[in-house]
Amino acid sequence: MELSSVVPWGRSLSEYKEMFSLSNRDLSKKILGCGDGPASFNAELTEKNGNVISVDPIYQFSADQIQSRIDEVYSQVVEQVSKNKDDYVWKNIPHVEALGKARMQAMRLFLADYRVAKESGRYLNASLPALPFDDGEFEIALCSHYLFLYSEHVSQNQHILSMKELCRIAKEVRVYPLLSLRDNQESPHLQPVIAELEAGGISVSLVEVGYEFQKGATKMLVAKSV
Ligand SMILES: C[S@@+](CC[C@H](N)C(=O)[O-])C[C@H]1O[C@@H](n2cnc3c(N)ncnc32)[C@H](O)[C@@H]1O
């Protein structure tokens, strides 16, 4: 992975709670955050005595390298969102400036934690579809804004292998959103992935959540090994 191809953009614990309908009981479980990037989910949950490991290929880079990449792309991303304002629901986040502020705050929390915790094993450089964990090692695996969202760049086969891998290492897998970034429509990979998982004995449901920023992104996928 080239750092120049990465656009760091991270969400907070409160957004993860809403995107994945995480209860306090869920948050006390052993959780994997897959593709957490510069989100502050791990930093904030660890602060509250949570038990969470994050994996992402950007963790091969140092905090300084990620920080400079954030500084490089931040205004471009804000400008891009401004141009496509109608693709988003401006309710909890009222306007583009508030969005920029919230994302920067989350990324600052991430960077501060990452600087001190990189060696602790809470941030691992690993990538789907092969994760360095034992079968059933986690109670919950979460994947926010990677699978399905980047349907144009990540193939259907890669989606299937990735979801099977997440179901191997966690008893329950939650993925959000399920829409493609290109057109805000259901990912073309969603139904084939569900069919493959169900054929392998995994139960899958699509569950409404109380979060919507990308217009129409109101559901998460929940997969459970039975
Ligand atoms: C849009 S960011 C989402 C960050 C975070 N999950 C959030 O919601 O704030 C997508 C993340 O997916 C990561 N990613 C890219 N390829 C991946 C792979 N093969 N396996 C796991 N994560 C990957 C990227 O490095 C990036 O940090």
Side-chain angles (χ1 to χ4, degrees):
M1 173 185 254
E2 300 282 326
L3 190 55
S4 58
S5 68
V6 176
V7 180
W9 204 232
R11 292 164 187 79
S12 64
L13 170 63
S14 70
E15 287 186 280
Y16 267 64
K17 275 190 196 170
E18 289 185 68
M19 293 186 291
F20 295 113
S21 299
L22 292 166
S23 63
N24 287 338
R25 196 169 128 68
D26 291 332
L27 290 168
S28 69
K29 294 180 176 175
K30 184 170 181 189
I31 299 178
L32 174 77
C34 185
D36 275 348
S40 57
F41 172 65
N42 190 320
E44 292 185 80
L45 187 54
T46 300
E47 178 73 25
K48 294 178 188 304
N49 293 321
N51 183 0
V52 54
I53 291 179
S54 297
V55 292
D56 198 294
I58 70 160
Y59 301 150
Q60 68 193 270
F61 302 109
S62 69
D64 285 344
Q65 287 173 309
I66 299 174
Q67 165 111 57
S68 351
R69 186 65 190 148
I70 292 172
D71 296 342
E72 224 170 85
V73 300
Y74 175 77
S75 41
Q76 294 164 29
V77 181
V78 170
E79 197 183 312
Q80 198 60 35
V81 177
S82 281
K83 271 195 206 146
N84 301 307
K85 263 207 281 271
D86 293 347
D87 290 342
Y88 301 94
V89 177
W90 300 98
K91 201 171 64 183
N92 291 354
I93 300 173
H95 41 68
V96 179
E97 293 71 33
L99 174 73
K101 217 171 141 189
R103 293 287 177 271
M104 251 346 252
Q105 193 187 347
M107 293 193 285
R108 269 195 212 105
L109 281 176
F110 158 76
L111 283 169
D113 186 47
Y114 184 68
R115 274 180 208 287
V116 294
K118 196 164 168 11
E119 307 309 322
S120 72
R122 276 198 288 117
Y123 293 104
L124 295 180
N125 167 23
S127 308
L128 286 169
L131 299 176
F133 303 113
D134 292 334
D135 294 0
E137 195 172 325
F138 294 89
E139 284 169 279
I140 302 181
L142 304 173
C143 185
S144 154
H145 292 83
Y146 170 59
L147 289 173
F148 302 116
L149 185 66
Y150 294 107
S151 288
E152 265 195 303
H153 306 281
V154 183
S155 70
Q156 185 167 302
N157 192 41
Q158 183 84 351
H159 271 79
I160 290 170
L161 294 175
S162 296
M163 285 302 299
K164 285 185 174 170
E165 179 69 344
L166 287 169
C167 291
R168 177 186 72 76
I169 57 121
K171 295 179 184 80
E172 180 177 341
V173 178
R174 301 185 193 182
V175 184
Y176 176 92
L178 306 175
L179 308 185
S180 200
L181 187 61
R182 189 177 63 89
D183 56 5
N184 278 3
Q185 297 300 307
E186 180 179 294
S187 159
H189 306 320
L190 182 63
Q191 296 307 330
V193 163
I194 293 175
E196 276 281 337
L197 293 179
E198 288 180 339
I202 291 164
S203 93
V204 180
S205 47
L206 301 183
V207 180
E208 289 280 340
V209 296
Y211 181 92
E212 184 184 6
F213 182 53
Q214 182 190 15
K215 228 174 234 176
T218 56
K219 286 181 187 165
M220 67 173 166
L221 177 151
V222 179
K224 287 185 190 169
S225 308
V226 279

